[in-house]
Amino acid sequence: MDVRTALLHPDKCVYTSCYCEENVWKLCNLIKESCSHEELKRCHAVFISNTNKQIPLWHQKASTNAQRLVVWDYHVIMVYSSPESNLVYDLDTELTFPCSFLEYVGACIGEETLVKKEYWRKFRVVSAEDFLSKFASDRSHMIKEDGTWFSPAPNYPPIYTADCTNNLQSYINMDESNDFGIVFNLEEFRQHFLHR
């Protein structure tokens, strides 16, 4: 089975609002369990953020304004890249699922000239294999000072590795040099997937 068959409809995917990093981890895990190793190698988790933790994205389901704009502290999508097509899987967009890479970048991300420099986005691209084996989150970033949740947690246990219970901030930090993928600016991100 290939990714496009395994993820034909969003109803096949695990989804929890405001936990995009875990939604993408679950997508990658579904591909690992349902598809060939070659298909998994074509998948990438992409963390979108910046130094200010303020990134505008359009066509977001969570938006209440006419432009469907939301300014997130970070967002995570999955990109599937093959010789035939580059597709974006994002359970938080109102665009199609999946969406072509070019359509997603044009509609949801847009050009940097549209936004002030402090809102320019960076993109940490991590192979699905590495993401599945290295990512961990104890969900502490979603807990308020009084102990309640900013948004209800998923109904499955937190994602841990044998060595780590929480490294989410290392993925979100776009200035940090670490073992979690490669950080690109928008033009580099676009070229990375269009010239594979």
Side-chain angles (χ1 to χ4, degrees):
M1 183 182 297
D2 68 17
V3 166
R4 284 163 288 190
T5 304
L7 302 180
L8 191 61
H9 195 276
D11 288 348
K12 292 187 175 184
C13 305
V14 174
Y15 177 78
T16 308
S17 177
C18 299
Y19 290 83
C20 53
E21 66 281 358
E22 295 196 32
N23 295 334
V24 170
W25 193 96
K26 287 289 188 178
L27 279 177
C28 294
N29 196 53
L30 175 62
I31 292 162
K32 181 179 179 180
E33 293 175 347
S34 307
C35 305
S36 69
H37 184 66
E38 280 302 309
E39 285 291 278
L40 183 64
K41 286 170 65 175
R42 293 173 174 158
C43 299
H44 305 81
V46 179
F47 282 74
I48 310 169
S49 192
N50 59 25
T51 303
N52 298 319
K53 302 293 187 290
Q54 291 184 312
I55 52 131
L57 293 176
W58 285 263
H59 295 282
Q60 299 293 291
K61 292 177 183 176
S63 176
T64 57
N65 63 52
Q67 293 183 309
R68 311 300 286 164
L69 170 67
V70 172
V71 178
W72 300 112
D73 51 348
Y74 69 94
H75 190 50
V76 189
I77 61 176
M78 191 188 84
V79 176
Y80 173 81
S81 182
S82 75
E84 296 79 35
S85 61
N86 294 298
L87 302 171
V88 172
Y89 290 81
D90 181 1
L91 290 159
D92 291 296
T93 183
E94 61 186 11
L95 301 180
T96 58
F97 182 89
C99 179
S100 80
F101 179 82
L102 279 177
E103 181 185 357
Y104 187 90
V105 170
C108 291
I109 298 169
E111 296 299 328
E112 300 291 30
T113 53
L114 299 174
V115 298
K116 294 179 181 178
K117 193 167 185 177
E118 57 263 36
Y119 295 113
W120 286 10
R121 285 70 43 102
K122 288 193 175 181
F123 305 81
R124 183 179 293 277
V125 177
V126 185
S127 73
E129 293 174 288
D130 282 352
F131 188 48
L132 287 173
S133 64
K134 296 179 181 178
F135 175 77
S137 174
D138 61 8
R139 301 172 181 160
S140 55
H141 66 296
M142 295 298 289
I143 301 174
K144 300 177 185 178
E145 287 186 10
D146 64 5
T148 60
W149 295 98
F150 284 108
S151 185
N155 60 6
Y156 53 82
I159 298 166
Y160 296 151
T161 71
D163 304 317
C164 184
T165 60
N166 191 31
N167 56 23
L168 173 61
Q169 294 306 318
S170 293
Y171 285 88
I172 297 169
N173 187 341
M174 295 296 148
D175 297 323
E176 185 176 340
S177 175
N178 58 41
D179 295 330
F180 305 126
I182 305 171
V183 175
F184 299 110
N185 64 30
L186 176 55
E187 185 55 30
E188 292 166 341
F189 174 64
R190 188 188 284 116
Q191 295 302 320
H192 179 72
F193 284 107
L194 292 181
H195 290 86
R196 291 179 72 81

